[in-house]
Amino acid sequence: NPASWITEEYLIGKALGALPEASVLQLHAGVWAEGEDQWLTSDAWALGHRHSELRPGDVITLGFDGSRVSDATALMACRLRDGLLAPIRVWECPEGAAGRFWNVPRKEVDAAVASAFEKYDVTRMYADPPDWRSEIDTWALQWPRRVIEFPPSGDMRRGAAVARFTTEIAPGELGHTNDPTLTRHIGNAIRSKNRHGYRITKPAKLSERKIDAAVAAVIAYEARCDSIAAGETGTPEKQSRKVTFH
């Protein structure tokens, strides 16, 4: 249902203009179109699809990418034993006039984080701090040594995390549940280069095409890799609840 001003003539003009063909198709046709600046191709992402799902008690890490208004906030999980990525919850600003006064429901976000720590065995949560420092500080007090601020997109560590995620999707080191929101955000992301390597960004600064779930997935996967490297196999309080029947 395009806006009234998006006519056939308008689209032809855009297609003949300065934007790459892939960007035109993404911005105006709502399809996953691949161009030279595309972060992950649809084929590469499809390789990671697994017919699996998270189960209560699974040992996981969390990745959090948040905003306050006019964007999206995402809480992603990554299972330690096989790198399976699955959204806990994603909150998206509605497009157009409906999102003009929209704010991320902070209480819902806080409840979702608490629910994830209760339902799963969370070894680490990496959180992107801008706009959510107070909440992250509170979470760090609730779950000491497990909630950690993750560097912003201009940091060398973030660049390394994007590179790791990009290279490990193909060999099957990480996987996903084919969640439509995560898949859409992955398809929206383009890659750009800074002095620390590649980063993922929106097609344009003011674009309504969200990528927050993709960013949270990168952060969650990096938390998983760091957790494994540190020899973390679960938290003592959660592991003590597990009963083995013989």
Side-chain angles (χ1 to χ4, degrees):
N1 298 313
S4 59
W5 48 270
I6 301 182
T7 62
E8 184 176 351
E9 291 75 14
Y10 171 86
L11 292 174
I12 291 173
K14 286 294 183 183
L16 296 176
L19 281 175
E21 180 181 356
S23 297
V24 173
L25 289 171
Q26 282 195 340
L27 292 170
H28 301 292
V31 298
W32 185 331
E34 296 160 7
E36 292 182 359
D37 57 352
Q38 185 73 31
W39 175 39
L40 291 176
T41 66
S42 56
D43 287 344
W45 182 243
L47 287 174
H49 180 207
R50 297 179 188 165
H51 298 282
S52 185
E53 60 183 18
L54 294 182
R55 298 182 181 277
D58 277 349
V59 182
I60 67 168
T61 55
L62 294 172
F64 176 78
D65 182 66
S67 64
R68 288 294 189 193
V69 296
S70 303
D71 207 345
T73 288
L75 181 63
M76 296 290 304
C78 186
R79 192 160 59 195
L80 250 67
R81 65 178 172 85
D82 60 359
L84 181 73
L85 290 160
I88 299 295
R89 185 82 184 270
V90 180
W91 298 263
E92 293 185 284
C93 176
E95 294 185 1
R100 187 175 302 168
F101 303 107
W102 185 83
N103 287 277
V104 177
R106 295 166 59 180
K107 290 184 179 180
E108 286 186 16
V109 175
D110 189 61
V113 171
S115 176
F117 272 90
E118 176 62 29
K119 186 175 182 179
Y120 304 105
D121 189 353
V122 182
T123 59
R124 296 189 182 206
M125 174 182 174
Y126 283 176
D128 195 356
D131 299 325
W132 288 84
R133 290 189 184 277
S134 296
E135 287 83 357
I136 293 171
D137 287 346
T138 300
W139 298 335
L141 289 173
Q142 289 180 271
W143 301 285
R145 297 179 298 279
R146 286 191 278 167
V147 178
I148 302 165
E149 286 192 7
F150 197 70
S153 61
D155 187 272
M156 184 181 299
R157 192 174 177 199
R158 177 70 68 92
V162 171
R164 192 206 303 258
F165 192 103
T166 305
T167 57
E168 294 189 3
I169 183 68
E173 187 66 24
L174 64 90
H176 59 87
T177 60
N178 205 32
D179 176 81
T181 300
L182 176 57
T183 297
R184 173 164 48 84
H185 284 215
I186 291 285
N188 289 341
I190 64 170
R191 63 180 183 181
S192 62
K193 198 169 186 179
N194 59 23
R195 61 193 178 94
H196 299 304
Y198 283 107
R199 62 175 184 158
I200 57 174
T201 63
K202 290 182 176 183
K205 186 175 181 179
L206 298 179
S207 172
E208 291 189 345
R209 301 181 71 83
K210 311 295 189 293
I211 67 166
D212 302 77
V215 174
V218 170
I219 296 173
Y221 186 69
E222 190 68 8
R224 179 222 180 213
C225 294
D226 290 346
S227 193
I228 290 174
E232 297 165 353
T233 57
T235 58
E237 59 267 34
K238 289 286 188 178
Q239 294 298 310
S240 64
R241 296 183 193 177
K242 295 182 178 179
V243 178
T244 301
F245 294 95
H246 298 282

